[in-house]
Amino acid sequence: MVEGGFVTAAVGDRVHDYSGGLTFSVVITCLMAASCGLIFGYDIGVSGGVTQMESFLKKFFPEVLRGLKSAKHDAYCKYDNQVLTAFSSSMFLAGMVSSLAASRVTRRVGRKAVMLIGGTLFLTGSIINAGAVNIAMLIIGRMLLGFDVGFTTQAAPLYLAETSPARWRGAFTMTYHLLLVVGILSATIANYFTNRIPDWGWRVSLGIAVLPATIIVIGALFVPDTPSSLVLRGKPNKARTSLQRLRGADADVEAEFKDIVLAVEVARQNDEGAFKRLRNMGYRHYLLVMVAIPTFYDFTGMIVISVFTPVLFRTVGFNSQKAVSGTVIITLVGLCAVTLSTFVVDRCGRRFLLLIGGITMMIYQWRCLGYWHNTLESIRA
């Protein structure tokens, strides 16, 4: 069967180690797809830094800036502006809506086309945000970024899983998250320097996103679509050509290609009544885990912390530059962890990393809870 592009042998439940190794073509192709994580990470990192820049607040939210300057002790509860919140959250709302249709669209038009569309949306949204003259332009630009995120977070990991060699599939798929953290770090560093530019520094931070978006749009024009996607859409000859290009000109791809065709046929046969079968007892625990892991991860608030780290530092008394500096340090720690995970995921397995990450998160979130409790108590005193 096909599991995110993973071709499982029909006999003996063994994964075949097909001919063809790590080629230049597959590395470049996968890096281009993983760059979708770069633009997502950049937008996560840039928004929190921009929303605490005085030049940005002076232009669009002067009442928030006045509240910050009039604060006696710190900036706690001085960012409680609904329109400012709409600027930050509009991307995620748009991403949530677009993700509802992303799976069906990706299946119909292919992974490559979705990444091209997503890159174009991100490029357009970045230009609108950098040139914004009113709040409406800011929110429209953020919504376009959100539509990109909703589609590319579906298509890019799937593209990576379907094109990477089985032996290195975990590492290649992890590059999406690796570049996501690199994007957050890049945005934070950009904010650190542009924060010193009076009046229009925020435009530079938002406009830098044009560069990776342009690379994705151009790159998506030249990379092949995945063999599984092409077979699924009735293009077996193009699928064979794509597979040969990815595995190398001298590789024997016949066995892998036959398994891809077989897997797609099996997947088609199982399409009818798929959601009904998920409710059966044999699939129920898989369904529970599939829903619970991303849901409870979001409930931990890690995404919120990633977006608003500069604002969190600002609310407890850091000035603007120190808030961004603290964010750089935190992001560097995350980058080290993701880099290590990329190298060990295929050796240690996904479950091991999930357990280690969950336990570590639990310990440090408990420590963070104690810290913020003490901070609130000191404010009330």
Side-chain angles (χ1 to χ4, degrees), residues 325-348:
S325 300
T327 306
V328 171
I329 295 172
I330 290 178
T331 309
L332 281 172
V333 174
L335 179 61
C336 293
V338 175
T339 304
L340 178 62
S341 299
T342 302
F343 284 105
V344 304
V345 61
D346 287 309
R347 186 178 298 273
C348 300

Side-chain angles (χ1 to χ4, degrees), residues 207-218:
I208 290 175
V210 170
L211 299 177
T214 303
I215 293 173
I216 290 176
V217 171
I218 296 174

Side-chain angles (χ1 to χ4, degrees), residues 50-69:
V50 165
T51 53
Q52 61 86 46
M53 287 186 183
E54 292 189 3
S55 58
F56 178 78
L57 296 175
K58 180 181 179 181
K59 174 71 175 177
F60 298 105
F61 304 98
E63 65 278 9
V64 175
L65 184 59
R66 287 194 296 269
L68 289 173
K69 291 185 175 181

